[in-house]
Structure formats: structure tokens, C-alpha cells
Amino acid sequence: FDEVELLATTDSLIKVFNWQFLSTAPRSTLRSAKPVFILGMPRSGTTLTEQILCSHPDVYGAGELKELSKLVSSLPSLVGAEPGYPNNLARLSAPLLDRLAGDYLQHIEKLAPDALRVTDKMPHNFQHAGLIAMLFPGARIIHCVRDPLDTCLSIYFQNFTDAHNYASHLGHLGVYYRQYERLLNHYRSLLDIPILDVLYEDLVSSQEEVSRGMIDFIGLDWDERCLRFHETDRFITTCSYDQVRQPIYSGSIGRWRNYERYLGPLVEALGDRPLQNSTGLPGRACRFQGFVVGDRRLFQTRLQRLHLLHETKLLRGLQLIDIGIGRRIGQKIHTHQHAYPAGLLEDDLVRRAVG
């Protein structure tokens, strides 16, 4: 495990996917809603989330597809070896993005030609969330979140391959988790692709509400079979294959407490006592497209800060969503001075921001 390399990779992704790049970078013109990307840390609930979704008759669970990683590996031959990824993304054109997106869409079409949605639950696609937004502007991202200590301890207990070179050392796990968290928070603040945070603890305690929210988020009508996900017969290759064969249970929540006296290196690497989720907020969170807010006051703070940063273009056409039950919880966006309708006008916000 190379901590310096990990930090450099995270720094590069954050540096490349900045406001200026995202406001001018091309997007694919293929706006298919078929792909649904389920990502996050391993052992954060990605398999359970996919199992619930693919219990819907219109959803096919493709598992951990390697297509996006292959796509990234192919970029040097398409745009030149230098600079490397992600700096070479500046050389992508709309036609090339269409070609790359088309190859991926063709692949999942072959997997499930009759499905309306196909899930790709490769957890580490969180590194490529920015590229996903460029390739698939009509797609959806579901980000699975679980208590950091439970997540890291569960990874530690698994016999992962060398590809997870951080997984066998508690200190390395903490470092990796913080960089994952840092990158996801950055993507949240900028990307215009819809992202839904699903907290594992909420899914366990409010299964139907959260499940309905997920199905609504991917644009499908509710189906009761999603509550009986454990009856869905499909081949599962991940470590959670046994857990998703039975109804939801709460025994894995807070499991880290049984091993607390041994977790010093992990706690130290994570920094201050980690919150219950990586949204940076305690308890159930709300999603405003690229932003996570715990209540309206925090949202007001975010909006005011965006005014100062002149980044209000990201707010066009968005709505405030309660991710626990997938419903609108407000038709207006309030700041201390103004009330903006849910379908707010970009030009008006820009005038207010710079004026």
C-alpha cells in the first residue's frame, strides 16, 4: 500500500474535476437512462442495494462490471499516453465520448436487452464518478454509505485480493477511507449528474421507505417484490452472497464495538471519531443533486457559499429530495434574502451572485 500514491491520485482527480473544467468539458450526447451505477466503499451495502433493485422486474443486476476500468485503461491509446489519467480527460471530444459511452451501452444492452435499467455495482467506480457524468449524462448514481468503523472492519475481516492492497492493515484502511470520503465530497459539490446517498443503517431500519426511494430515484414504479429481495434467485460473486439470501437484519450495525480495544490504528487514521455516514452529517441526510444537507439551515449556508464562489450555474432545474423516502420536501429554496422556486433560473442566480 502506497499512501503517497493514493494521495497523489486523489489530488489529481480533485484538481482535474474543478468548476472550470466541468463547466466547459464536453458530454456524450447519448442520454440513456439504462445504466445505474452503485458505488462506494466495499462492504457498505452495495450488494444489498443491487439485490433490492434487481428484484424489480424492469431491473437487471449486472454485478461488478469491469467495463469502466477497461475504458479508462484504453484512454492512452485513444488520446495519447501523456499526460496520464485523469489529466488526459481534457483531450476527450464529444464524438469520442459518444463512442466510448456507446460501447458500454452496447455491452449492457447485450446483457439485458429487455431491462429498463441495468445496475453496475463496481464499488471503486467512485473514483470515476466525474468520468461517469461526462459519459452518461442520463444515468443515475447510487452511493452506498455505512458507518466508517463498521465498513473498514468488515473489509478487514475479508480475504480480499491484492487489488485491495489497503485491506489488510487497519491504519491503511483508515487512510483509504478518508481519501474516498474526500473525493466523494468533492464530486458531490460539483457534478450535475443525479446522485443518491443510501445509508446502510437507514436501509436496515426503514427498509420499505428507503427501497421505495431508490426505485423512485431510478425512475420506475414501485414493485412489492423489492421487499422480498432475498427470494430473488441470481448468481452473486461478492462476499455478501449469503446475507442477501435472507431478510434484512440489524446484527451488523455497530459491530465494531465488539472490537473497539483493537481498533486504535483505524481510529487514529480516520481522525476524529467518524460520523455515522460520510455525508459529514449525523443521521439521515437529504440530497440536493450534488449537495448533501441535513436541514434547510445547512442548505442555506451552502447556497450562500455558492453565491460567493460564482458557482450558481449548477443549481438550474434541481429540486430538494428526502432520500429516505424519495419525495420532494420543499418547493422553494430559501436563503436569508430570497426565495427561489424549484425550477430556478440560472441567469437570475448568476446576476445575484456577481451583482
Side-chain angles (χ1 to χ4, degrees), residues 195-225:
I195 302 175
L196 181 73
D197 287 316
V198 174
L199 276 61
Y200 175 78
E201 292 79 6
D202 284 350
L203 181 55
V204 170
S205 63
S206 305
Q207 178 188 353
E208 182 171 352
E209 289 182 340
V210 176
S211 298
R212 283 180 176 271
M214 292 192 295
I215 295 299
D216 182 68
F217 177 73
I218 64 174
L220 298 178
D221 294 329
W222 173 247
D223 191 288
E224 290 292 329
R225 281 169 283 191

Side-chain angles (χ1 to χ4, degrees), residues 27 69 116 125 127 174 208 264 286 298 322 336 353:
R27 303 289 195 277
S69 295
L116 297 181
N125 278 343
Q127 295 178 321
E208 182 171 352
C286 299
L298 285 172
D322 179 337
H336 66 295

